[in-house]
Amino acid sequence: MDNIIIKAMTDIDDRFILEAADEEHIREVFSNLTEEDGFTDDDFVNAGEGDETESDTAAEEGEAKKEKVKRICRKSAKRLLLVAVISALF
Amino acid sequence: MLLENNKIIELFLARSERAIAAISEKYGKLCFKVAFNILNNHEDTEECVNDAYLGAWNTIPPKKPNPLQAYILKLTRNHALNRYDYNSAKKRASGMTTCLEELEFCLSSNDDPEKALEEKQITEYIDEFIETLSDCNRLLFVRRFWYADTYEQLSVLTGIKVSTLKVRIMRLRDSLRDYLCEKGVAA
């Protein structure tokens, strides 16, 4: 090997080795980045795709309920109209 | 249940073969990862990790390493680098090539008679340099250049895009070069 720096790296302070061995710690650091760390939203995997949030889920559920109510109302209106027509005929 | 480090050390001191099983159970996976990232070969990796265990067996006692984890990882990395040297001499390529090439900028000659001293000095400078880095940069630097993680592995771990990581780590490498230049080490 021509590169003594790689070998010199082996004996770096134990603190750095132990810290970097802890993958949970790494995930925590990278999920709490600040502006000073110099990353932008575009630097993240899935940037722009947007993870589904609780509010997104609630909004979707709300829309589904509205659609269901509309369908029930339409059915009820049709029934009422039918009843009115039959009553008028007889 | 994983044994505590002091219990494992006690097993080594008592020359109990259970020490090897205990250290393997606790740190075997991480040792394997370190060696495999360098060698990219299962057979060589197994051999290096076993050599590291043997190294621990031969050095404890008299040593009582604390922390044990860093000690066994350093032994593993040393064996893996030696095996890498051997493989390179035999013209066998591996995944570590890129990582090594990235740091070639700041090499001094290997034939330097004061090489051992220089290595120790460089280690101290690298420690100083790492100390100056922010948390995220420090982790990226150590994962890339100590654990020899690929950019893809780093991306999965951090959630940062590969292209961004490459630029960030290139800048860290350049910063190290500048730092070593200031100290009069870099070529």
Side-chain angles (χ1 to χ4, degrees):
Chain A
M1 184 185 304
D2 293 327
N3 196 335
I4 63 168
I5 199 153
I6 290 283
K7 287 188 172 171
M9 275 287 291
T10 300
D11 287 324
I12 60 170
D13 197 306
D14 292 344
R15 284 179 299 130
F16 303 135
I17 297 168
L18 296 179
E19 182 194 32
D22 185 350
E23 297 196 350
E24 274 305 308
H25 169 66
I26 296 173
R27 286 191 196 95
E28 197 182 321
V29 167
F30 279 86
S31 60
N32 290 300
L33 292 171
T34 64
E35 271 185 30
E36 286 176 3
D37 292 313
F39 291 102
T40 67
D41 289 345
D42 289 339
D43 291 329
F44 291 87
V45 179
N46 298 329
E49 290 173 15
D51 294 334
E52 195 170 36
T53 62
E54 281 183 23
S55 58
D56 291 338
T57 310
E60 280 172 17
E61 283 174 3
E63 283 298 315
K65 274 183 187 170
K66 271 186 195 173
E67 281 300 315
K68 196 176 176 184
V69 170
K70 277 182 188 173
R71 278 200 305 275
I72 292 168
C73 287
R74 271 187 227 118
K75 275 185 185 174
S76 302
K78 278 179 187 172
R79 278 187 197 133
L80 280 173
L81 186 63
L82 190 63
V83 170
V85 170
I86 292 169
S87 303
L89 286 173
F90 298 98
Chain B
M1 178 145 174
L2 299 176
L3 279 185
E4 286 176 15
N5 285 348
N6 58 345
K7 299 281 180 196
I8 298 175
I9 296 283
E10 279 174 19
L11 289 173
F12 273 108
L13 296 177
R15 311 310 290 155
S16 165
E17 288 179 11
R18 281 169 49 216
I20 301 294
I23 204 168
S24 170
E25 192 180 358
K26 193 163 186 181
Y27 299 121
K29 203 174 164 186
L30 197 51
C31 289
F32 192 92
K33 180 184 165 65
V34 168
F36 188 81
N37 276 356
I38 293 170
L39 298 167
N40 202 27
N41 175 299
H42 282 276
E43 202 175 313
D44 287 349
T45 298
E46 288 275 359
E47 219 169 288
C48 279
V49 173
N50 287 332
D51 285 346
Y53 296 156
L54 183 63
W57 179 261
N58 288 335
T59 52
I60 310 171
K63 286 187 178 174
K64 292 181 185 175
N66 185 20
L68 179 62
Q69 182 182 357
Y71 184 71
I72 194 67
L73 287 174
K74 283 180 176 179
L75 281 176
T76 305
R77 191 176 194 268
N78 262 330
H79 281 291
L81 289 176
N82 288 339
R83 175 52 67 102
Y84 175 85
D85 272 348
Y86 173 81
N87 287 352
S88 296
K90 295 277 184 185
K91 306 286 181 195
R92 296 175 200 155
S94 88
M96 185 70 174
T97 308
T98 311
C99 180
L100 288 175
E101 284 170 356
E102 281 180 28
L103 282 177
E104 268 178 7
F105 65 87
C106 44
L107 292 186
S108 300
S109 167
N110 229 13
D111 300 325
D112 192 333
E114 295 175 351
K115 186 186 160 220
L117 183 66
E118 193 179 12
E119 261 186 43
K120 200 166 178 245
Q121 185 72 68
I122 291 172
T123 301
E124 283 174 21
Y125 290 147
I126 293 173
D127 276 341
E128 287 173 16
F129 171 75
I130 295 173
E131 200 80 64
T132 66
L133 301 175
S134 65
D135 288 354
C136 63
N137 283 343
R138 184 173 64 246
L139 290 167
L140 288 176
F141 184 87
V142 176
R143 289 297 298 206
R144 176 65 184 151
F145 296 121
W146 201 94
Y147 287 87
D149 275 359
T150 63
Y151 289 108
E152 288 72 20
Q153 287 172 329
L154 280 174
S155 180
V156 170
L157 186 60
T158 62
I160 307 286
K161 286 178 180 170
V162 167
S163 54
T164 304
L165 288 171
K166 282 183 178 175
V167 173
R168 175 65 64 114
I169 288 170
M170 186 186 71
R171 285 180 187 154
L172 288 172
R173 189 197 62 183
D174 290 346
S175 299
L176 173 65
R177 179 181 56 199
D178 294 344
Y179 191 84
L180 293 179
C181 274
E182 277 175 27
K183 299 287 181 185
V185 174

